[in-house]
């Protein structure tokens, strides 16, 4: 599984029976280093096992917990070379992994909850977008970031227009009355010959694609860039139900373009969108700075994030604020160094903001619209 959504995040954030193991590692798409990825993965699993045993889990139970992850070594995970990073999470009741267009540092965390801080750039306001590459012969969905792109598996969409027509009752009726053979080769020839290549049939095809896509990204709030020959764009837009489809798209036949070529062209479409959105967020912070609807104080932001009051949150990467938060009393204790039972409260604020429908921008310190390591705009 390789689609990271807010629902996936929510699942990971729900309280689980511990211990919870979080593993992050870079992967390689080509070259000799691809042969080293399985070895690195084995080493990380060995490290996870050692930590589980050190924390008091009996060795047989530690091996059993790692069993699902170990099985991936016998599968296709390290033979596809289609991603830049692997994020894996498992506990006695959960096993999830994501192949993502993001380069992670090697990391193993074993605590009583999943560690998802490295995922935040992918879920932030300028983190991700999708590319839907459409032709009558093929459909691809890609998940991109500024730096890389990854193809996403599509399970519930037709492979091409011909498949849609073969499954369509009206086409079966046409076959019966016209004596057209249902053979794949003849149907393909007719499709390419233009007898069924009309707007109505293409709309049927696109509706099925939209339905399958909806199930996959219905709770997403990231841009979708359409790639296809020019006359297909308005037809798809007529049936599209995803609210974040970009007005501009990529022209030409996407079958002739690699994932990397689509990525380069799509970034030129989404870059102004991301830049505008982040600048508007900064402007909104500055506009409300004297109204009481903004803050850069951890003690004020943490409970506001938990109670769903944050609309926009800016947070710097690679900085931790350790401490504890009691949701029943909103009591916060801040510590300069990590203590037993602590959590990273900046990560907590970002996650709660996302789960409550807010937008998070992971930015460098100089781009925070105030002093400190985080800043928020409140809904009220």
């Amino acid at each position: 599984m390789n689609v990271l959504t807010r629902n996936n995040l929510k699942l990971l954030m729900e309280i689980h029976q511990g211990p919870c193991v979080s593993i992050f590692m870079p992967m390689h798409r080509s070259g000799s280093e691809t042969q080293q990825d399985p070895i690195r993965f084995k080493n990380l699993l060995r490290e996870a096992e050692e930590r589980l045993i050190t924390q008091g889990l009996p060795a047989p139970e530690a091996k059993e917990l790692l069993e699902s992850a170990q099985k991936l070594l016998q599968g296709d995970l390290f033979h596809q070379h289609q991603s830049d990073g692997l994020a894996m999470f498992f506990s006695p009741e959960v096993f999830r992994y994501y192949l993502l267009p993001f380069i992670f540092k090697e990391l193993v965390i074993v605590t009583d909850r999943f560690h998802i801080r490295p995922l935040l750039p992918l879920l932030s306001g300028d983190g991700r977008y999708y590319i839907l590459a459409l032709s009558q012969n093929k459909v691809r969905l890609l998940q991109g970031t500024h730096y890389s792109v990854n193809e996403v598996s599509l399970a519930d969409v037709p492979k091409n227009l011909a498949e849609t027509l073969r499954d369509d009752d009206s086409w079966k009726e046409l076959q019966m009355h016209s004596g057209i053979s249902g053979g794949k080769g003849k149907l393909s020839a007719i499709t390419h010959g233009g007898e069924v290549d009309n707007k109505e049939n293409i709309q049927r095809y696109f509706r099925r694609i939209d339905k399958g896509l909806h199930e996959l990204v219905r709770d997403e709030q990231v841009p979708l860039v359409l790639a296809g020959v020019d006359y297909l764009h308005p037809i798809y837009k007529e049936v599209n139900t995803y609210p974040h489809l970009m007005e501009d798209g990529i022209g030409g036949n996407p079958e002739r373009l690699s994932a990397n070529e689509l990525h380069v062209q799509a970034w030129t479409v989404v870059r102004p969108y991301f830049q505008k959105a982040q600048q508007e967020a900064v402007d909104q912070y500055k506009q409300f700075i004297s109204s009481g609807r903004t803050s850069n104080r951890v003690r004020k932001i943490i409970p506001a994030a938990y109670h769903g009051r944050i609309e926009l949150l800016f947070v710097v990467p690679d900085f931790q604020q350790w401490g504890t938060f009691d949701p029943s009393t909103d009591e916060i204790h801040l510590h300069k160094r990590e203590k037993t039972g602590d959590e990273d409260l900046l990560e907590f604020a970002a996650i709660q903001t996302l789960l409550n429908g807010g937008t998070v921008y992971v930015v460098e310190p100089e781009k925070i619209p105030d002093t400190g390591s985080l800043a928020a705009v409140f809904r009220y």
Side-chain angles (χ1 to χ4, degrees):
M1 59 180 56
N2 53 8
V3 180
L4 181 65
T5 66
R6 292 188 186 216
N7 278 346
N8 300 144
L9 179 64
K10 186 175 182 180
L11 173 67
L12 294 174
M13 280 302 298
E14 289 174 352
I15 297 175
H16 299 291
Q17 176 187 350
C20 296
V21 180
S22 308
I23 293 177
F24 299 88
M25 66 167 282
M27 297 183 72
H28 302 86
R29 295 175 184 260
S30 61
S32 59
E33 288 190 309
T34 60
Q35 300 176 10
Q36 299 299 314
D37 286 344
I39 298 173
R40 293 188 183 95
F41 185 61
K42 284 182 181 179
N43 292 337
L44 293 174
L45 291 181
R46 187 179 301 113
E47 181 180 346
E49 182 177 357
E50 292 172 355
R51 292 194 182 193
L52 287 165
I53 295 172
T54 300
Q55 294 185 18
L57 193 68
E61 293 183 27
K63 288 185 179 296
E64 183 179 355
L65 185 59
L66 293 166
E67 186 175 347
S68 294
Q70 293 281 5
K71 288 180 179 178
L72 293 177
L73 289 166
Q74 283 77 50
D76 295 329
L77 180 63
F78 295 100
H79 302 288
Q80 297 172 350
H81 309 310
Q82 294 179 346
S83 65
D84 298 294
L86 169 68
M88 179 174 292
F89 307 91
F90 51 93
S91 71
E93 60 182 39
V94 170
F95 178 66
R96 296 284 188 276
Y97 69 91
Y98 304 96
L99 300 173
L100 299 165
F102 195 78
I103 300 174
F104 298 111
K105 296 179 181 178
E106 286 191 7
L107 183 65
V108 177
I109 300 289
V110 180
T111 62
D112 58 354
R113 66 177 61 195
F114 290 121
H115 178 75
I116 65 169
R117 180 73 178 269
L119 300 180
L120 290 182
L122 291 169
L123 290 163
S124 65
D126 59 353
R128 288 181 304 131
Y129 59 92
Y130 288 109
I131 306 167
L132 180 61
L134 287 177
S135 74
Q136 296 183 42
N137 301 313
K138 189 176 182 180
V139 55
R140 286 182 291 167
L141 181 68
L142 299 100
Q143 184 183 66
T145 68
H146 185 182
Y147 302 102
S148 62
V149 71
N150 203 44
E151 188 156 346
V152 176
S153 299
L154 286 171
D156 298 319
V157 302
K159 295 179 180 178
N160 48 46
L161 175 60
E163 181 178 299
T164 299
L165 295 179
R166 281 198 300 272
D167 296 339
D168 188 85
D169 290 337
S170 62
W171 173 252
K172 292 175 182 177
E173 185 177 348
L174 174 62
Q175 286 179 299
M176 182 175 63
H177 289 292
S178 62
I180 298 173
S181 169
K184 182 176 179 181
K186 289 193 176 182
L187 177 58
S188 177
I190 291 171
T191 301
H192 291 139
E195 294 184 34
V196 293
D197 178 9
N198 57 47
K199 182 177 179 180
E200 183 180 348
N201 289 319
I202 294 172
Q203 282 180 327
R204 291 192 184 103
Y205 174 42
F206 285 174
R207 284 193 186 98
R208 286 188 56 187
I209 292 172
D210 178 72
K211 182 179 179 181
L213 192 65
H214 177 78
E215 293 300 314
L216 195 64
V217 300
R218 59 186 173 186
D219 296 314
E220 291 277 39
Q221 298 182 26
V222 301
L224 171 66
V225 179
L226 186 63
V229 294
D230 292 345
Y231 79 92
L232 293 179
H233 284 242
I235 300 176
Y236 187 82
K237 288 178 180 178
E238 287 181 16
V239 304
N240 170 65
T241 61
Y242 183 67
H244 306 289
L245 177 66
M246 299 293 289
E247 182 64 30
D248 295 331
I250 301 171
N253 185 354
E255 294 178 43
R256 300 173 181 172
L257 299 175
S258 67
N260 287 335
E261 289 170 328
L262 286 168
H263 173 244
V264 170
Q265 294 193 40
W267 180 247
T268 65
V269 176
V270 298
R271 179 174 56 188
Y273 169 89
F274 285 136
Q275 290 175 338
K276 180 182 178 183
Q278 184 166 327
Q279 186 56 52
E280 288 176 348
V282 171
D283 293 343
Q284 191 171 347
Y285 187 95
K286 293 178 179 178
Q287 177 185 350
F288 292 130
I289 202 165
S290 60
S291 68
R293 281 188 55 192
T294 66
S295 179
N296 63 346
R297 296 176 53 209
V298 174
R299 293 184 182 276
K300 188 173 182 180
I301 290 174
I302 299 303
Y306 178 80
H307 294 295
R309 290 186 52 219
I310 293 183
E311 180 178 346
L312 301 169
L313 182 71
F314 301 86
V315 60
V316 300
D318 303 324
F319 179 81
Q320 288 79 35
Q321 172 58 71
W322 299 108
T324 60
F325 170 65
D326 184 348
S328 63
T329 63
D330 285 351
E331 186 176 2
I332 297 174
H333 295 283
L334 304 179
H335 305 137
K336 292 183 178 180
R337 297 179 180 177
E338 183 181 6
K339 296 184 178 181
T340 302
D342 275 4
E343 61 182 316
D344 179 3
L345 294 178
L346 300 190
E347 177 188 34
F348 178 85
I351 291 167
Q352 293 300 319
T353 298
L354 288 169
L355 292 179
N356 286 301
T359 300
V360 175
Y361 291 96
V362 180
V363 299
E364 296 303 319
E366 63 271 15
K367 293 186 178 181
I368 293 280
D370 208 334
T371 58
S373 55
L374 79 170
V377 175
F378 301 130
R379 291 190 168 109
Y380 54 90

